[in-house]
Amino acid sequence: DQQVKQNSPSLSVQEGRISILNCDYTNSMFDYFLWYKKYPAEGPTFLISISSIKDKNEDGRFTVFLNKSAKHLSLHIVPSQPGDSAVYFCAASSGYSGGGADGLTFGKGTHLIIQP
Amino acid sequence: EPEVTQTPSHQVTQMGQEVILRCVPISNHLYFYWYRQILGQKVEFLVSFYNNEISEKSEIFDDQFSVERPDGSNFTLKIRSTKLEDSAMYFCASSRQGFDEQYFGPGTRLTVT
């Protein structure tokens, strides 16, 4: 039961260009979405989040867009840098409105490769 | 910058043995979590903990698992009788609030032989 789907296992982008990573979800109860970056043998590193009351959140080079009607979110990285090469995970929870300690549901991840 | 720490980084144990994985969450965080990632699979939620009790748990978190906050800084995951399928990376995470971003530790690789 894939409630959070990242359909692209990998993505290759040239340095300096925009990287766009996509994520779809099926559970209408999800109201809080996060992106994490992960290097091999390390834990996921938080990048950016968005609640369902917004459709865009920006932090430096990272912007997350949320389309609730399509149950789709995307992460834009501009400009892409070599250090951005990693696996990116989309995660979701239904805890925002309830305030409880809900666990995150993760996608399978997209391996982003930034080419010089 | 404060971070979540986990010990040990790698634990090898025999099937049927008990293991305790340890975590030190970020000091001003109030919510604590355990996740696992079996090789090649997704990161999966196990359990969340707040105010000295379990807040939510997944189907994976059966009677073989337990969590504890034995003192003001540590948060532990115990597996009573390990099985081969418990082999995975186990990640601890913490957050200030229940709906806040969760910060993950580096993980403990558990290998059950």
Side-chain angles (χ1 to χ4, degrees):
Chain A
D1 176 21
Q2 280 198 72
Q3 296 187 68
V4 176
K5 301 178 193 179
Q6 293 178 260
N7 291 321
S8 299
S10 67
L11 175 68
S12 186
V13 174
Q14 267 198 310
E15 182 180 355
R17 300 284 186 111
I18 183 171
S19 294
I20 300 175
L21 296 106
N22 293 303
C23 177
D24 297 293
Y25 62 96
T26 57
N27 189 338
S28 302
M29 299 300 291
F30 287 148
D31 57 6
Y32 188 54
F33 305 90
L34 309 91
W35 284 94
Y36 286 86
K37 174 181 176 180
K38 188 178 181 304
Y39 295 115
E42 293 185 12
T45 300
F46 170 74
L47 281 176
I48 193 167
S49 63
I50 188 167
S51 71
S52 58
I53 60 174
K54 294 184 175 181
D55 54 21
K56 177 183 172 181
N57 189 24
E58 194 171 349
D59 184 1
R61 294 187 299 117
F62 302 94
T63 303
V64 56
F65 295 91
L66 175 62
N67 182 334
K68 289 187 289 294
S69 60
K71 293 192 177 68
H72 176 84
L73 63 154
S74 61
L75 173 69
H76 292 211
I77 307 173
V78 183
S80 301
Q81 298 174 353
D84 295 331
S85 295
V87 178
Y88 288 77
F89 290 98
C90 172
S93 84
S94 51
Y96 193 80
S97 49
D102 283 30
L104 299 177
T105 300
F106 280 81
K108 288 187 175 180
T110 296
H111 186 192
L112 177 64
I113 302 159
I114 305 301
Q115 295 186 333
Chain B
E1 186 175 317
E3 57 183 22
V4 177
T5 59
Q6 290 185 243
T7 54
S9 56
H10 190 191
Q11 174 94 45
V12 182
T13 189
Q14 285 192 325
M15 199 165 52
Q17 296 296 303
E18 174 184 288
V19 293
I20 297 176
L21 309 183
R22 290 182 167 78
C23 167
V24 178
I26 294 173
S27 61
N28 63 346
H29 286 189
L30 301 176
Y31 294 79
F32 314 116
Y33 311 82
W34 283 102
Y35 293 81
R36 77 172 186 192
Q37 185 179 28
I38 295 170
L39 189 63
Q41 297 187 24
K42 290 194 284 188
V43 176
E44 300 173 291
F45 168 70
L46 293 178
V47 66
S48 60
F49 192 85
Y50 168 70
N51 201 25
N52 278 320
E53 60 183 28
I54 289 174
S55 181
E56 186 192 2
K57 60 183 180 179
S58 72
E59 293 174 352
I60 303 167
F61 194 87
D62 61 22
D63 292 343
Q64 292 297 315
F65 292 90
S66 62
V67 289
E68 194 178 29
R69 187 153 163 83
D71 54 43
S73 59
N74 290 283
F75 179 52
T76 63
L77 174 70
K78 182 193 289 186
I79 309 174
R80 282 186 238 292
S81 177
T82 50
K83 303 174 217 162
L84 293 175
E85 54 264 37
D86 293 328
S87 295
M89 280 290 287
Y90 287 81
F91 295 107
C92 174
S94 68
S95 64
R96 283 178 304 164
Q97 302 292 337
F99 55 83
D100 226 346
E101 55 262 26
Q102 297 177 22
Y103 291 87
F104 284 73
T108 292
R109 177 169 298 285
L110 177 65
T111 302
V112 182
T113 62

